[in-house]
Every structure is written in C-alpha cells, then in structure tokens.
Amino acid sequence: MTRTTFSSPVHAQASSSPVHDEQQGLPSSHMLLEQVLTKSEAPLDAAVLTCLPPLQKEEALLLQTWHQGRPILTQIVTTQLGRVGTFLLPVEDTHGDEQWQQKMIELACKAVALAQACGARSVSLSVPLARQTRGGQMIREHQVSCAGRRPCLTTADATTSAAVLLNLEWILTRVGRELCRERLVVAVGPDDFASTFLRLLLATRPHPASLMLCTLPGQGTHGEHLEMELLVSGFRGNVVRNEMREGEMLPDGVYEEATLLLGTGDLLRGLDVQRLRAGTILLRLPSALSPEVSEPLSARIRAHQDILAPQGDELTSPAPMRELRVFASGSLLDLLIQTGEGGGLRNPYQVKSFLLAGLAVAKLDVLPTSGWVDTKTAQSYYFALRRAGFRGTAPDLGVHDSPSLYLTQFRARFRHCL
C-alpha cells in the first residue's frame, strides 16, 4: 500500500516498486479496507462505487488474481469536507446479459455494506453504475430484504452540474467575458444531464445570448421537449435546434456561430476541433478525452493558442487534500484503476466532482439524487459547494505549463471580439 502526499502540483514518486506490488503484494489489495475496519485507519464519511473500464484478456486475468471476487477499497481521499473512499467492483463497464447485471448488483450491495462498516453515511455511484442500475434503484430493491439501516445512495448528476457551472463562472471571469454575450451550444442525448445543467444555468445566472440544441439522429423529441421546457422557464435568448448528420457530425452552424460549447460525450464525438472559431471556450465533459479529440485539441492549442478547454467536472479545493492509495503509482494495477472513474487526485487542490457527491450529502445538508434532478436540488448543490469554497480549475493547455499567462493573453485577444 502506498501513501501519497503532495507538496507540489504533481504526484510524489511512490516508494514501493510496481513490479514488487504486482508480483508479491496482490492479496494486500484488501489491506486498506482491513485497516479501516480494524480502526487503524480513520473511518470514512462517504464512499464512491466504481467499476472497471473494458479490459483486454490479459488485464482481466491479472485482476482476477487480486480482487478475489470482492469489492476493493482502492483509495481514500481526505478533503476539508471529510474522508471519501473509492470501492472498485471487479466487473467491467459493459452492457452484459441479465446474469452479468445481477452479479454487478450483488457486488454493489456488498460494497455498500462494506462502506457502511467503514463509517460511510452516504454512497455515490459512478456514471456507469448509475446508468445500469436506474440511478441505484435496482440496488435499493435488492437491499429490501436486508436488515438494518443502509447508507443513502446518490448519483453524481447534481454535483457534476454544479461543478460545470462553477467552472463556467470562473473561466468567464478570468477572460473578462459575460455569459449574456455568449452563444452556447449543447448536444442533447437520451440522458438528462444537458437538461439539468441548462435549468440550473438559467435559474442561477444571466442567460446566454443564444442557445443551439444539437440532437442526435433519431433523438429529435428530446430536443423538442427541452426547447419547450426552456421557453416555459423564461429563457430570453434565441433558441435554435439542429439535428446532427449521420455519423453524428455537428451542423455547420456550430462552427460559424458558437462561442461556448458544453462538451459532453455526444458533442465531442462529432466535433472537428480545427473548425472551431478563434476565441471559443469548450467546457468539456468527461475530462478524459479520446485520442481522436485530445490530439487535435492539443495541436490547436500549441499552434494558435486561441481556444480554451477547461474541465467541467473537476473542481479546485480551498484547502489541500491527501490521498492514500492501495497500489503503487505507475503500476499496471494502478493504471487500470486510473483509466476508469476511480482515478484519484491530479494534485493536492484538484478533485473530480464525483468524489464529492457522497460527501456533499453527508456533510453539506443536500438531498441525495437518483435519476432526474430538479432545479431546486441542483441549485442546493451549487450553493453548498460554492459556500464551501470550491471553484473552477485552470484549463487544460496540453504542453503549456503557465495557465495564468495563457489566460491573460487569451483575455487580451478575445475579450471583446465575439
């Protein structure tokens, strides 16, 4: 087990050998859990349940030697709100058959019970787990016959929506731009995130000058319902609805008009980074981009320094955080975990919003969420995180290592030209 502390914006080198960990320490992957259960480590306040990314056959065989069919407590992050532990289920994020789904639910129930034994008052579900368990409802139904009180389950939807808005506010302030002048583009898919974020935005901040809703082929009804919902809510700008072309390509109007894009997965898959107009802000979700997007994005930033790509689902903490991890930094087991949604801290001040979801319920007096999130609940998360001192993060600049200088230059070039 490796204890990671931070004194600079990079991970400290792990003292143990990754090879030694993988060859000699596989059964010790349960050590952190045992230390919490035996109180040699402090208890948890909240927990996060995650699953594995899709694996190659060799990776799956390696993982089978250490998980022993049980959920693993892979890390504990200590924040100003409390301690949150990440429990990894030994199941891949895939759409399997009914037997696979039942196994996943049973493992999730075991993890919830372990989290409770570790002191957690609330348990949040990663996006894949929430999606495949109907927002945790299938886990709750499986627990009905279990005796005793269980920690409340929550999704990360409200926390992520609040984080995106906090990032949007922060970046616009830094570059001297006002939301009421921005032309916003959002991709509308079968999930509710775009709707949740837009309702939170319109209820909390000045409205953008215009809004373009890009719907996936065959998903036009989602765009129609959202457009009607926005108009009823009092949106005062222009609303344009376009359907993406076959192959999920974005319409030409995105590149001609947009100054601000909510980069969800549906939008990023159809995005041609080189066609973005100079001065565009791409508020991206998820923060981990595919090479098809990340490489052109980095190339554009290096060549022209004329776009911004802040991470919408990551927040800056007002106080440094600490991380305790099971596997040595850089080992294969660690890299597999970091590839999924169980990744830890990039530095002592930056944290993924999903790690705060359970802590928000346990410590900030907000309601747990499941499925559709109403505007009042989304606002309660936004104001709670803001009062706690969390704010947005500096944009991803690829090879550039001076966000402050980049933002200053960007502000000078693109503050008034849109």
Side-chain angles (χ1 to χ4, degrees):
M1 184 172 64
T2 300
R3 184 180 297 271
T4 303
T5 58
F6 297 97
S7 57
S8 64
V10 295
H11 279 296
Q13 281 295 110
S15 58
S16 57
S17 164
V19 174
H20 178 81
D21 281 358
E22 291 170 12
Q23 293 179 347
Q24 305 295 332
L26 298 179
S28 69
S29 56
H30 294 279
M31 186 184 301
L32 182 57
L33 174 61
E34 295 301 320
Q35 289 180 349
V36 178
L37 292 174
T38 59
K39 297 183 171 49
S40 58
E41 274 290 335
L44 304 178
D45 297 290
V48 179
L49 302 193
T50 68
C51 51
L52 290 162
L55 303 174
Q56 300 296 326
K57 183 178 180 180
E58 296 78 8
E59 296 170 340
L61 290 174
L62 172 63
L63 292 171
Q64 287 175 7
T65 64
W66 62 261
H67 66 65
Q68 300 174 340
R70 297 188 296 166
I72 304 294
L73 177 58
T74 60
Q75 67 179 16
I76 298 174
V77 175
T78 302
T79 76
Q80 69 177 74
L81 299 181
R83 286 162 58 86
V84 55
T86 298
F87 286 84
L88 177 68
L89 308 186
V91 62
E92 295 176 49
D93 171 25
T94 56
H95 292 280
D97 55 20
E98 185 176 343
Q99 184 178 3
W100 171 89
Q101 188 176 57
Q102 183 63 27
K103 176 184 177 183
M104 181 187 66
I105 293 171
E106 291 175 356
L107 286 169
C109 290
K110 289 180 180 179
V112 172
L114 288 172
Q116 180 182 29
C118 291
R121 294 163 48 193
S122 63
V123 175
S124 64
L125 305 176
S126 68
V127 172
L129 281 173
R131 181 179 63 242
Q132 298 188 46
T133 61
R134 299 201 306 267
Q137 183 58 36
M138 297 173 72
I139 299 174
R140 295 185 189 92
E141 292 172 355
H142 193 274
Q143 291 177 328
V144 168
S145 60
C146 300
R149 183 180 179 86
R150 296 294 185 193
C152 62
L153 295 180
T154 186
T155 64
D157 293 349
T159 312
T160 302
S161 297
V164 173
L165 184 52
L166 287 167
N167 273 287
L168 177 58
E169 291 175 343
W170 187 84
I171 200 67
L172 289 179
T173 299
R174 289 298 303 268
V175 298
R177 284 169 38 178
E178 298 177 352
L179 185 58
C180 61
R181 298 180 59 218
E182 300 292 329
R183 296 186 289 277
L184 174 63
V185 173
V186 176
V188 182
D191 61 73
D192 293 320
F193 179 78
S195 172
T196 300
F197 170 73
L198 287 174
R199 285 186 283 104
L200 173 61
L201 174 70
L202 300 183
T204 312
R205 304 298 301 171
H207 294 184
S210 66
L211 175 62
M212 181 183 293
L213 303 176
C214 297
T215 59
L216 300 174
Q219 297 287 337
T221 55
H222 291 282
E224 293 174 8
H225 293 158
L226 181 55
E227 181 180 358
M228 184 178 301
E229 185 179 352
L230 296 177
L231 293 175
V232 170
S233 70
F235 177 61
R236 294 182 290 274
N238 298 321
V239 180
V240 178
R241 183 160 41 86
N242 281 312
E243 183 172 304
M244 297 184 191
R245 299 190 295 272
E246 288 301 324
E248 300 182 358
M249 298 300 293
L250 296 178
D252 293 337
V254 170
Y255 305 103
E256 296 165 359
E257 298 293 330
T259 63
L260 175 65
L261 290 87
L262 180 63
T264 56
D266 293 328
L267 186 142
L268 293 174
R269 279 190 291 273
L271 181 65
D272 183 348
V273 172
Q274 299 305 327
R275 293 184 63 191
L276 292 174
R277 61 181 292 170
T280 296
I281 298 173
L282 172 63
L283 196 65
R284 56 191 179 89
L285 286 163
S287 55
L289 298 178
S290 67
E292 290 78 11
V293 177
S294 62
E295 293 174 4
L297 184 63
S298 297
R300 174 75 181 262
I301 291 173
R302 287 195 303 269
H304 304 289
Q305 301 183 26
D306 63 348
I307 58 176
L308 291 175
Q311 299 180 183
D313 62 346
E314 192 165 89
L315 289 172
T316 299
S317 170
M321 297 169 288
R322 300 191 310 277
E323 182 182 32
L324 181 61
R325 294 161 60 176
V326 168
F327 303 114
S329 178
S331 67
L332 176 58
L333 294 173
D334 179 63
L335 291 174
L336 288 176
I337 293 170
Q338 303 300 319
T339 303
E341 290 202 29
L345 306 178
R346 283 205 297 125
N347 66 49
Y349 288 93
Q350 289 178 259
V351 60
K352 298 291 186 184
S353 59
F354 76 86
L355 280 174
L356 299 175
L359 284 174
V361 173
K363 295 289 189 174
L364 296 179
D365 195 29
V366 293
L367 296 175
T369 60
S370 175
W372 186 82
V373 180
D374 64 85
T375 304
K376 184 177 179 181
T377 298
Q379 277 189 308
S380 70
Y381 277 76
Y382 162 78
F383 287 117
L385 289 170
R386 192 176 185 183
R387 285 193 300 269
F390 290 92
R391 63 163 179 81
T393 62
D396 185 0
L397 301 178
V399 298
H400 294 273
D401 58 0
S402 178
S404 180
L405 177 60
Y406 191 102
L407 289 171
T408 299
Q409 295 173 343
F410 191 92
R411 177 185 178 116
R413 294 173 65 190
F414 303 110
R415 180 178 183 181
H416 298 297
C417 68
L418 300 180

